[in-house]
Amino acid sequence: MSTLFTPAALGPLTLPNRLVMAPMTRNRATAEGVPTPLMAEYYAQRATAGLIVAEAATPNRVGQTYPDIPGAYAQAQTEGWRHVTDAVRAAGGRMFLQLQHGGRIGHPANSGLDPVAPSPVPFPDVIHTPDGPQPAPVPREMTLDDISATVADFAQAARNAVAAGFSGVEIHAANGYLLHQFLSTHTNHRADAYGGSIENRIRFVLEVVDAVVAAVGAERVGIRLAPGVTANAMQESDVEALYPVLTRELSTRRLAYLHIVFADPDAPLFHELRRLWPTVLVANPALPWPSPFPADGGRAEGERLLAAGADLVSLGRAFLANPDLVERLQQGAPLNEPRPEHWYGGTEQGYTDYPVLVPVPA
Ligand SMILES: Cc1cc2nc3c(=O)[nH]c(=O)nc-3n(C[C@H](O)[C@H](O)[C@H](O)COP(=O)(O)O)c2cc1C
């Protein structure tokens, strides 16, 4: 019998099912990073998810990756998010906010500032800007002051998120952004306490986690990791060694959850991290990317992950294209296909206009 539709505890929350809407950047905030009423509508449409993890929000200006992504550092952004969380709560949902600093994935045309990173190793590709794709600049190496200021910015962003009505925050240490850049010898060439050994490379992530926990409490904090995932030209040479050490350290903080991207239930590392992790494990299945989109949206892989020890399953594209995904999967109904041309930016088209099985009466 499927456990996908059984309730689960997440800290003080009770989730009505084990389906998590994965964080997805949709570039529909204002140029100042303020969430819009359209975003509130989009998330409220998906409120039957056990948990929604809202798209990556930047904890400061320099961490902004792409155009029109939301922030979590300014008062107007907190107020904008408040409308989003109110709409989701009114529709019966629960929501965390992902906090993401882009590090070398950024451009002055987007943030107004030169990107910073553990080391001056540029992203070997283009960054999307309002003027079109532009080569990524060489990032400035973070000073120790930059590091402590960034840690403080994450903590403040978490406070802002809770003030905006989120149940918690997900620290983004995955997919090649700043925290992931610190973990990898490929992007972290530092000779100080933040580079070199595994113990040093995980230091920044742990400092961010500890500051965010001190700000809002461990039961309001999740973390996303992507062991060995090559998104954003990430390369890692010691995945099997680093992630168990990091997970063991994180496990002592008793966070709300660990969220693993492209989790493989057949991989020994998945089982090792499960053994080491004391609270909720959220697994995002490794599905064909970006297409073909599986007809079941990832359900079968999700069930395999639950059977292998995950507590919750996160799905991205399936939720993006199916506001009523939970109901569709429960009924075995066909799914809408995601339309990638509307993923990043634009209007309500390809955003709030995906059909539901039974339209809500006006
Ligand atoms: C349009 C889009 C935007 C995404 N943005 C984010 C993001 O902001 N943060 C993040 O951690 N992952 C992001 N992802 C990755 C998803 O969270 C998820 O890991 C990925 O889509 C794989 O899950 P799926 O096969 O169920 O779609 C994004 C994916 C898509 C399709």
Side-chain angles (χ1 to χ4, degrees):
M1 198 194 94
S2 175
T3 51
L4 263 185
F5 308 106
T6 59
L10 181 70
L13 303 177
T14 302
L15 314 185
N17 59 66
R18 290 164 191 263
L19 284 160
V20 176
M21 178 175 167
M24 282 176 289
T25 293
R26 305 301 308 275
N27 309 73
R28 281 164 171 91
T30 69
E32 292 74 40
V34 176
T36 59
L38 188 64
M39 290 168 64
E41 184 184 342
Y42 163 76
Y43 283 114
Q45 286 175 341
R46 288 154 179 79
T48 51
L51 179 73
I52 294 172
V53 183
E55 68 203 80
T58 184
N60 57 27
R61 262 184 64 202
V62 73
Q64 181 178 347
T65 46
Y66 314 110
D68 303 332
I69 71 154
Y73 57 91
Q75 182 61 28
Q77 295 163 351
T78 303
E79 286 163 16
W81 281 123
R82 167 56 75 180
H83 296 299
V84 176
T85 65
D86 281 349
V88 169
R89 194 170 292 107
R94 295 137 302 276
M95 206 173 185
F96 270 47
L97 177 63
Q98 188 181 55
L99 298 178
Q100 167 193 271
H101 187 303
R104 69 177 185 160
I105 310 297
H107 197 282
N110 294 336
S111 66
L113 297 167
D114 293 322
V116 296
S119 301
V121 182
F123 173 52
D125 204 338
V126 294
I127 303 276
H128 291 275
T129 78
D131 315 315
Q134 298 196 45
V138 178
R140 179 172 67 72
E141 178 170 315
M142 290 170 81
T143 64
L144 295 181
D145 284 348
D146 289 326
I147 288 177
S148 49
T150 305
V151 168
D153 288 343
F154 268 94
Q156 185 57 46
R159 279 187 211 99
N160 295 344
V162 170
F166 286 98
S167 296
V169 293
E170 175 175 290
I171 296 168
H172 196 349
N175 297 356
Y177 297 102
L178 181 68
L179 274 65
H180 205 176
Q181 291 160 27
F182 268 90
L183 297 179
S184 161
T185 51
H186 180 70
T187 41
N188 180 348
H189 298 168
R190 300 179 73 95
D192 61 10
Y194 293 91
S197 65
I198 286 177
E199 187 192 13
N200 282 355
R201 277 180 279 132
I202 67 175
R203 189 180 309 279
F204 178 64
V205 172
L206 294 176
E207 287 184 1
V208 169
V209 168
D210 288 340
V212 171
V213 166
V216 297
E219 75 284 2
R220 293 182 185 275
V221 182
I223 186 163
R224 198 170 210 219
L225 301 177
V229 169
T230 55
N232 286 313
M234 185 48 54
Q235 293 178 33
E236 291 178 284
S237 55
D238 52 5
V239 171
E240 312 290 327
L242 182 140
Y243 282 91
V245 175
L246 175 58
T247 303
R248 198 173 288 115
E249 277 295 329
L250 289 169
S251 71
T252 65
R253 275 71 174 180
R254 306 291 303 188
L255 304 183
Y257 67 81
L258 167 63
H259 189 173
I260 300 179
V261 180
F262 293 161
D264 175 1
D266 299 324
L269 184 63
F270 176 78
H271 293 275
E272 187 174 2
L273 300 188
R274 172 66 284 188
R275 255 195 320 279
L276 292 168
W277 189 251
T279 68
V280 169
L281 183 70
V282 187
N284 179 224
L287 303 176
W289 173 265
S291 57
F293 176 67
D296 74 349
R299 176 182 180 155
E301 275 305 290
E303 304 264 14
R304 286 217 309 135
L305 285 160
L306 290 176
D311 300 291
L312 306 175
V313 171
S314 76
L315 296 176
R317 290 163 292 167
F319 268 111
L320 184 154
N322 295 275
D324 53 352
L325 180 68
V326 175
E327 193 186 344
R328 283 178 191 253
L329 292 183
Q330 238 164 344
Q331 292 189 14
L335 301 183
N336 302 317
E337 284 266 337
R339 289 176 274 154
E341 65 277 21
H342 301 298
W343 280 1
Y344 303 110
T347 61
E348 70 286 352
Q349 223 190 334
Y351 189 53
T352 49
D353 64 354
Y354 284 100
V356 292
L357 286 175
V358 181
V360 183

